[in-house]
Amino acid sequence: MAPQAVGRDRTTPAGYDVVIVGAGFSGLYMLHKVRQMGLSARVYEAGSGVGGTWFWNRYPGARVDIESQEYSYSFSPELEDEWQWTERYASQPELLRYLNHVADRFNLRGNIQLETRVTSAIFDERSDRWSIGTDRGEQITAKFCVMATGCLSVTKDPDFKGVESFKGPSYHTGRWPHEGVDFTGMQVGVIGTGSSAIQSIPMIAEQASHVTVFQRTPNFSVPAHNAPVDPGVVRDWREHRAQYRKEARQAGFGIRMLDQSERSVFDATPEEIKRTYEERWARGGFSLAGAFADIVVNKEANAIASAFVADKIRSIVKNPEIAEKLVPKTYPIVTKRLCIDTGYYATFNRDNVSLIDVAQNPIIEITPQGIRTRDAEYKVDAIVYAIGFDAMTGAVGKIDIQGRGGVKLKESWAEGPRTYLGLMVSGFPNLFLVTGPGSPSVLCNMALAIEQHVEWISGCIAYVNERQAGAIEATTAAQDAWVASVNEIADATLFPLANSWYIGANVPGKPRVFMPYIGGFPTYEQICNEVATKGYEGFALRSPARGS
Ligand SMILES: Cc1cc2nc3c(=O)[nH]c(=O)nc-3n(C[C@H](O)[C@H](O)[C@H](O)COP(=O)(O)OP(=O)(O)OC[C@H]3O[C@@H](n4cnc5c(N)ncnc54)[C@H](O)[C@@H]3O)c2cc1C
């Protein structure tokens, strides 16, 4: 399917006002917004369907870890009225149905080209336009280019010796086969114990004859207490939706149900502390992280929360040796994304599940029959790689992006990503990032973070067009100040103490930089709004180039 020029921008045969890369939560809403503004737009999506994360991650047990009503678009009251979630935490199939519904409801599909990977984006200073190349050999131009490519869309490839030699099937949780996988009667090796593993291991263990879990770093997980959505909750949400959405925007992580307390743990008695944590454990989900104000900034406060969850793990897992292996000891709780599970720790009480600590006994190679650690070979029929993503910078890093003077984004980011507000990069005019590094992104309810970014970007595009300017670009000074501020805030917390994917620690050779903005969603949104109100302070507007 050749790209068509649509809308009012007909400067070149395949020219658009806006090209959007990616058709997940971000790309779909971005398209809707720019079309509402009367701009021509085209979305390029590598997958064969829309939905992004929820298109690709079809592993058993995949579900959102923020309550469904909160993890959804808020821009359309009609959409909110007509869509009814069925579970407290929506499963991947339901989320995918939702995003497909959004694509249909807002008639978006006609502007989306599937199975097309954007491979390059090169800025032409003579025309102030981006020239975008795809793996189908197309070249399209656009005044604005929006990277809605996702923070967790590039899976990490297993880099063990001998991966190709394995004779059985192997799967990556982030690229799960659409037809599903039947593990009945199989011996399965699962490598990794991050969020995807924590969600899928209990499900795989119910099917497989045996599951061997290879764990390098244990993760803290709290129960989801997932259930069908309570009709009372639905009624309450409908009645108070506007208020609840507002409260989410005012909450530190953009999650209302976090129920963030302002109280220091040191102002509470031991009995109150215990009661509070027990109550939040029973409530389930992220609420545990909001129990006291100082959990992410004070080591002793954090140690109390870590010890509470460690004791829970010890009380659930019957074998004390296995329990001890499952208790995280090398980083403070919440400084790696807290996992939300359904029966994860109890799964280790099953006779058909075993745990190998690969920090002690590292994986040496994948063999034709299975997985060899330093001490033993584990024969398996199938391998599940739950090894995560090249987070936050992976997807844009795969595109040959060249800004002014042919400068490559990859080179600009060689020492780690640098952005202004996580939205734009100095030297790359008219190029926007949705939930880019330097914005709250993965430390937030991402549905909310995405809406805020898409709305800010739309406003910025309107500002440029209203002034008939050629381009807008972050100034180096504003970017430098923002990067310094992001680092300063991160350094005041316990987050840098964890070797997490937030700092790129899971990808060998990746520069160690704390990527998300941790100053809280409300502060961040306020800064973005102020910047816009002050005529996009920190951004430079340029007159149209001669050839534009
Ligand atoms: C398993 C999993 C669970 C998650 N759970 C939660 C949760 O509970 N709460 C939460 O807030 N967030 C969660 N997230 C984060 C999630 O990614 C975001 O919530 C949200 O879905 C991101 O939407 P997006 O559109 O920005 O990116 P994505 O959904 O990742 O979509 C990006 C799309 O861009 C496409 N793309 C990338 N590069 C190119 C290219 N060069 N050319 C063409 N197309 C390209 C990809 O194929 C992808 O479809 C989870 C992520 C994962 C992986």
Side-chain angles (χ1 to χ4, degrees):
M1 181 175 40
Q4 301 289 315
V6 292
R8 62 178 175 76
D9 178 16
R10 299 180 192 281
T11 47
T12 65
Y16 298 96
D17 293 320
V18 189
V19 156
I20 299 160
V21 189
F25 252 101
S26 303
L28 293 176
Y29 185 36
M30 193 74 236
L31 173 60
H32 177 60
K33 277 303 275 187
V34 295
R35 276 203 343 197
Q36 274 186 328
M37 291 159 69
L39 300 176
S40 66
R42 191 144 187 98
V43 176
Y44 294 93
E45 165 56 56
S48 60
V50 303
T53 289
W54 307 108
F55 171 85
W56 296 108
N57 290 266
R58 299 173 189 237
Y59 58 83
R63 64 178 69 252
V64 67
D65 56 17
I66 293 171
E67 298 192 17
S68 309
Q69 306 95 298
E70 288 204 51
Y71 184 75
S72 61
Y73 292 117
S74 67
F75 68 84
S76 162
E78 297 79 19
L79 172 65
E80 294 207 79
D81 283 341
E82 73 203 14
W83 187 266
Q84 178 55 64
W85 296 103
T86 65
E87 290 180 271
R88 185 176 176 197
Y89 301 92
S91 66
Q92 173 274 328
E94 190 170 16
L95 286 155
L96 187 57
R97 274 200 302 282
Y98 172 71
L99 289 165
N100 273 284
H101 170 72
V102 169
D104 291 330
R105 191 190 190 291
F106 298 100
N107 197 19
L108 302 177
R109 293 193 197 272
N111 298 68
I112 302 173
Q113 186 169 320
L114 299 172
E115 295 180 320
T116 308
R117 183 169 287 283
V118 167
T119 51
S120 62
I122 295 168
F123 187 68
D124 176 11
E125 286 172 69
R126 287 161 309 171
S127 62
D128 280 334
R129 292 182 75 81
W130 284 92
S131 179
I132 289 130
T134 75
D135 62 356
R136 292 184 176 211
E138 297 148 333
Q139 286 292 328
I140 309 101
T141 73
K143 180 166 178 181
F144 300 99
C145 181
V146 181
M147 292 294 166
T149 43
C151 292
L152 300 168
S153 60
V154 174
T155 51
K156 248 188 77 190
D157 289 330
D159 54 3
F160 303 105
K161 188 178 148 207
V163 165
E164 299 302 328
S165 72
F166 182 59
K167 292 234 164 64
S170 52
Y171 309 96
H172 192 298
T173 47
R175 290 286 178 273
W176 203 258
H178 289 199
E179 62 281 10
V181 180
D182 184 0
F183 288 112
T184 306
M186 285 190 174
Q187 314 245 16
V188 182
V190 180
I191 301 180
T193 49
S195 180
S196 303
I198 283 177
Q199 289 188 330
S200 59
I201 287 166
M203 307 285 287
I204 298 172
E206 278 179 19
Q207 243 185 14
S209 66
H210 194 92
V211 180
T212 308
V213 177
F214 296 84
Q215 169 188 274
R216 190 176 55 189
T217 315
N219 266 287
F220 286 103
S221 188
V222 297
H225 300 312
N226 187 37
V229 171
D230 181 334
V233 169
V234 175
R235 263 196 314 278
D236 181 52
W237 182 263
R238 288 202 175 204
E239 273 168 35
H240 303 102
R241 196 170 63 207
Q243 175 61 23
Y244 290 171
R245 289 288 194 188
K246 199 167 147 204
E247 285 172 16
R249 277 189 118 90
Q250 288 162 351
F253 293 92
I255 307 171
R256 179 177 166 269
M257 297 306 285
L258 183 75
D259 190 12
Q260 180 64 57
S261 163
E262 300 291 315
R263 189 181 191 199
S264 162
V265 73
F266 303 112
D267 293 335
T269 64
E271 294 72 32
E272 282 172 323
I273 296 170
K274 172 103 176 100
R275 199 169 52 243
T276 304
Y277 277 124
E278 286 292 356
E279 191 273 315
R280 290 194 178 231
W281 180 269
R283 221 192 288 177
F286 282 118
S287 68
L288 188 118
F292 293 98
D294 27 19
I295 188 166
V296 295
V297 290
N298 182 296
K299 273 190 185 169
E300 287 74 36
N302 187 288
I304 296 170
S306 299
F308 174 83
V309 177
D311 283 347
K312 284 289 180 198
I313 299 170
R314 292 184 185 108
S315 73
I316 298 168
V317 180
K318 293 191 179 125
N319 180 323
E321 224 174 280
I322 297 175
E324 238 21 72
K325 281 186 191 165
L326 288 167
V327 172
K329 299 189 178 84
T330 55
Y331 61 93
I333 191 168
V334 185
T335 58
K336 278 172 179 254
R337 191 172 173 103
L338 190 61
C339 298
I340 311 295
D341 72 273
T342 299
Y344 176 64
Y345 294 119
T347 297
F348 291 90
N349 293 332
R350 295 176 68 111
D351 293 337
N352 70 333
V353 176
S354 43
L355 179 67
I356 308 301
D357 179 355
V358 299
Q360 295 287 322
N361 185 11
I363 295 175
I364 304 298
E365 63 176 337
I366 306 297
T367 67
Q369 282 79 36
I371 298 161
R372 190 198 307 281
T373 65
R374 198 183 49 205
D375 298 345
E377 182 178 0
Y378 299 86
K379 297 222 159 92
V380 293
D381 303 311
I383 299 178
V384 174
Y385 293 105
I387 53 177
F389 300 88
D390 183 352
M392 302 202 70
T393 53
V396 282
K398 278 193 174 285
I399 303 171
D400 177 17
I401 301 176
Q402 297 180 27
R404 264 191 302 108
V407 172
K408 287 177 180 276
L409 185 69
K410 232 183 201 163
E411 285 160 14
S412 292
W413 284 8
E415 307 288 309
R418 298 181 73 78
T419 70
Y420 182 33
L421 301 172
L423 280 157
M424 291 193 91
V425 184
S426 173
F428 297 81
N430 293 358
L431 179 83
F432 296 96
L433 308 170
V434 184
T435 65
S439 75
S441 59
V442 290
L443 281 180
C444 200
N445 170 0
M446 285 201 71
L448 176 57
I450 286 167
E451 283 195 317
Q452 185 255 336
H453 262 199
V454 166
E455 284 156 18
W456 191 95
I457 292 167
S458 311
C460 185
I461 289 175
Y463 179 82
V464 174
N465 285 348
E466 278 157 18
R467 280 154 191 78
Q468 295 176 342
I472 190 162
E473 180 185 337
T475 66
T476 312
Q479 179 169 285
D480 288 348
W482 183 250
V483 171
S485 156
V486 171
N487 290 335
E488 199 184 312
I489 297 168
D491 287 341
T493 72
L494 304 176
F495 277 83
L497 298 180
N499 273 334
S500 67
W501 53 260
Y502 296 147
I503 58 166
N506 64 330
V507 178
K510 196 164 169 169
R512 300 255 176 144
V513 175
F514 192 80
M515 292 184 279
Y517 171 81
I518 194 170
F521 180 80
T523 310
Y524 174 78
E525 185 177 34
Q526 195 187 338
I527 295 170
C528 289
N529 290 346
E530 278 170 16
V531 162
T533 314
K534 291 180 185 163
Y536 292 85
E537 195 179 45
F539 292 90
L541 209 56
R542 282 216 318 272
S543 316
R546 279 230 198 106
S548 66

